[in-house]
Amino acid sequence: MPIIGSFGAGSASGFGQRQGGAPLDPFNANILVVGGGGGASGGQGGGGGAGGYRFNTSYAIAGSTSYKVTVGAGGANFTTPGVVDSAAPGTNSSFNTCGSAGGGAGKGPGGTGGEDGGSGGGSGESPDSGGTGNTPPTSPSQGNPGGPGRWPSPGNTGVGGAGGGGIGGAGNPQKAPPTFDGGNGGPGGNSWPGDSTLRAGGGGGAAGYAGSGGTGGPGGGGNGTLYNSPTAPPSAARSGTANTGGGGGAGGRPAGPADILYGGAGGSGVVIVQFPTASDPNARITGGTRTTCGCNTYHTFNATGCFVVP
């Protein structure tokens, strides 16, 4: 349940009795921190892992204090000719001492398994495992593993990639031959009590020479695309949605003279601070985008900044 303020009329904090310039009393807040999602490589690559998803439902906020807020960027995709393993992981987000790791990058065929991160990246066309989620370890867990790769069986080439992990579950492996569909990304979640928005879904894996790319996990994960088709434009591999920490979808290679392998970038992270509106009766706290719903106030940070308590 969201934090509900309970203040009596005779208290210093009740019904606007506080002096206008006096420091605010300490109070507890809900804090949600989502890291940037991992990027995805091209070729028969795996989807990017979602950014780590962490929340604290009793974070102590002091008066006369400025709290640094860092919102992690999504990991870059890669479009260099002939390079399949160069997507980047997402970067970390934090509210003061509460941090979430960026998602692991999805990897392409012939390379190592997916990268570790808040949620792990999916593996490409290889027998390697997906990246490990919840890296570095936190309790409760901030994410899940990416899906494992699958080596082509005799007579079946072009096997696709696995999905990246999400906060709601691991990434899925690419479907078994003769199906060449990419694996779906792991689902996101909304277990934070502040709102019902799904965040931190993993990116979908690429398809092989036939079939469909994996679907991005609900919660901002980007869709994967078909590996080698003139009908699969570079934009077919979708980036993770901004400010959800969603992983990027793994990319294809459109027909043409250049062997350019496209993948989707990861979505940037987000930090949200929620507290009882009565804790700040004169709306003096600044930082992010401030909104009020019922008896609760939210400061949403879509970019790095400061949460300033007078």
Side-chain angles (χ1 to χ4, degrees):
M1 295 294 294
I3 299 173
I4 303 298
S6 178
F7 299 94
S11 72
S13 299
F15 300 105
Q17 299 300 309
R18 178 187 306 282
Q19 296 298 314
L24 296 182
D25 292 335
F27 60 91
N28 287 338
N30 289 337
I31 310 292
L32 174 68
V33 182
V34 181
S41 295
Q44 297 119 293
Y53 182 106
R54 293 184 68 192
F55 59 89
N56 187 316
T57 56
S58 59
Y59 197 98
I61 301 294
S64 302
T65 305
S66 178
Y67 294 90
K68 182 178 181 180
V69 176
T70 301
V71 175
N77 60 344
F78 216 80
T79 59
T80 296
V83 177
V84 296
D85 258 353
S86 299
T91 55
N92 301 347
S93 294
S94 63
F95 177 88
N96 197 31
T97 58
C98 181
S100 289
K107 288 300 185 176
T112 57
E115 286 189 342
D116 299 340
S119 279
S123 181
E125 179 201 21
S126 70
D128 297 308
S129 61
T132 300
N134 196 34
T135 304
T138 62
S139 181
S141 174
Q142 60 180 305
N144 288 286
R150 188 188 300 278
W151 193 254
S153 60
N156 288 293
T157 59
V159 172
I167 183 60
N172 294 279
Q174 182 267 340
K175 294 182 181 178
T179 299
F180 296 100
D181 292 349
N184 294 336
N190 58 354
S191 55
W192 182 60
D195 69 9
S196 59
T197 303
L198 285 169
R199 296 182 173 90
Y209 283 97
S212 301
T215 301
N223 293 335
T225 188
L226 182 61
Y227 165 58
N228 193 17
S229 169
T231 62
S235 60
R238 301 297 183 184
S239 296
T241 303
N243 300 121
T244 67
R253 182 182 66 182
D259 184 17
I260 301 178
L261 307 174
Y262 297 90
S268 54
V270 68
V271 175
I272 304 176
V273 184
Q274 177 214 18
F275 55 87
T277 301
S279 297
D280 180 20
N282 296 318
R284 293 190 291 142
I285 295 175
T286 59
T289 300
R290 180 182 177 116
T291 58
T292 299
C293 180
C295 58
N296 289 299
T297 291
Y298 301 80
H299 285 250
T300 301
F301 290 83
N302 291 325
T304 294
C306 288
F307 179 75
V308 181
V309 185

